[in-house]
Amino acid sequence: MGAEASTVAVGYVRVATGSARKREESVYLQRQAILRYAKNNGIRIARFFADHDCIADIAMQQGLSDAMEYIAKGRASMLMVADITRLSRSMEDCMAFIDRQQFLRDGLGLILVRERIDTRTDTGRLLLRTMQRLVHTASCIDEGGAQ
């Protein structure tokens, strides 16, 4: 099944540290990557949400929380980020967030632009499931090695 052309999405950008100039440049580059992908794939960006100087805990990122609330209210059907590290630097946290939001279960879409993962497609869902399994396996190995 292919992606639908009339999708409405929200963009999410995150910058954690650096000078004001570097943060502005990062926001600009992330937005441009999302907008370019959206234009090339028939997606309309309804709104952007952002977290600046945010802490590492994904649950404390107010911009991301606001983006998900916007989607939950039916104003958009998917979240777009420039790359997976914009959700969190921790792959375990990213995968837990993806699972909590049910991006692979109930039609809610996620696009990771740099990774070219689009959960509206069979290939995108397969790639994301594969990433989840790899992260889970690595976590199990780390836990086993620590004993």
Side-chain angles (χ1 to χ4, degrees):
M1 178 175 162
E4 296 174 18
S6 61
T7 302
V8 177
V10 294
Y12 173 71
V13 298
R14 180 181 73 89
V15 290
T17 59
S19 67
R21 183 177 172 170
K22 284 192 177 254
R23 288 192 312 261
E24 286 177 23
E25 181 181 355
S26 177
V27 167
Y28 174 79
L29 292 173
Q30 289 176 59
R31 284 177 57 100
Q32 290 305 332
I34 291 167
L35 289 168
R36 187 173 33 257
Y37 188 96
K39 181 180 179 184
N40 292 337
N41 291 279
I43 300 167
R44 183 173 67 82
I45 303 296
R47 185 170 170 190
F48 274 93
F49 293 87
D51 281 306
H52 301 276
D53 296 324
C54 63
I55 60 176
D57 186 354
I58 195 169
M60 300 300 289
Q61 295 172 2
Q62 188 61 50
L64 183 57
S65 178
D66 292 346
M68 296 313 300
E69 184 177 323
Y70 190 88
I71 292 169
K73 289 181 178 178
R75 297 177 181 157
S77 62
M78 76 174 350
L79 177 70
M80 290 183 69
V81 294
D83 70 73
I84 197 165
T85 65
R86 299 303 82 207
L87 293 174
S88 173
R89 290 278 183 197
S90 163
M91 288 303 292
E92 290 86 3
D93 287 350
C94 286
M95 293 304 137
F97 171 77
I98 288 166
D99 192 48
R100 235 182 358 265
Q101 298 302 325
Q102 300 184 346
F103 285 115
L104 292 171
R105 281 184 235 143
D106 67 359
L108 186 61
L110 173 66
I111 293 180
L112 306 171
V113 173
R114 190 180 104 219
E115 292 84 1
R116 302 249 185 252
I117 294 176
D118 181 342
T119 63
R120 299 173 302 160
T121 67
D122 292 338
T123 301
R125 288 186 297 277
L126 176 64
L127 288 170
L128 197 53
R129 283 188 186 103
T130 301
M131 285 177 71
Q132 284 182 315
R133 287 187 187 111
L134 289 171
V135 168
H136 177 72
T137 300
S139 175
C140 289
I141 290 170
D142 287 347
E143 288 174 11
Q147 294 179 353

